[in-house]
Amino acid sequence: MPDMSASASLAMTHLVSFAKEVDEDKVTPGVLGFIVFAAMALAVWALMKSMSRHMNRVDFTQVPDPKAEQPEQTPADADAESAQAEPSGQAGKKQG
């Protein structure tokens, strides 16, 4: 047991000498900075957990659009239909 108290005593002397070397004019975050950082980390964790829970509740299946049931026309089909509707280039001219 005497070795343990000697090693503890040696450790304490090193810590005390280290504490004397710390400049009192130097600004460090300290305990308050750690508490603020830990609180922010905890808040981010809680928000991520909440977002994950809300995203799991979302139903991503889409209801088909009734207008989409009609077959879509390709540009070539649309040109063919417009050519049939306009006989021999007379679209836009009045028949009189």
Side-chain angles (χ1 to χ4, degrees), residues 72-85:
E72 294 184 17
Q73 294 181 348
T74 60
D77 293 339
D79 290 341
E81 285 183 13
S82 64
Q84 290 174 355

Side-chain angles (χ1 to χ4, degrees), residues 4-46:
M4 187 175 229
S5 63
S7 62
S9 172
L10 184 62
M12 288 302 289
T13 56
H14 285 297
L15 287 175
V16 170
S17 64
F18 176 71
K20 290 180 183 177
E21 292 176 10
V22 174
D23 185 15
E24 293 181 10
D25 295 331
K26 188 175 183 180
V27 177
T28 61
V31 176
L32 180 63
F34 175 74
I35 291 171
V36 169
F37 180 77
M40 289 174 62
L42 186 63
V44 168
W45 176 79

Side-chain angles (χ1 to χ4, degrees), residues 42-87:
L42 186 63
V44 168
W45 176 79
L47 286 171
M48 293 292 290
K49 187 169 182 165
S50 174
M51 183 186 69
S52 175
R53 191 177 315 127
H54 280 86
M55 291 299 287
N56 286 337
R57 291 181 187 170
V58 174
D59 184 21
F60 287 107
T61 57
Q62 295 182 350
V63 177
D65 190 13
K67 296 178 184 176
E69 291 178 7
Q70 300 172 357
E72 294 184 17
Q73 294 181 348
T74 60
D77 293 339
D79 290 341
E81 285 183 13
S82 64
Q84 290 174 355
E86 303 169 0

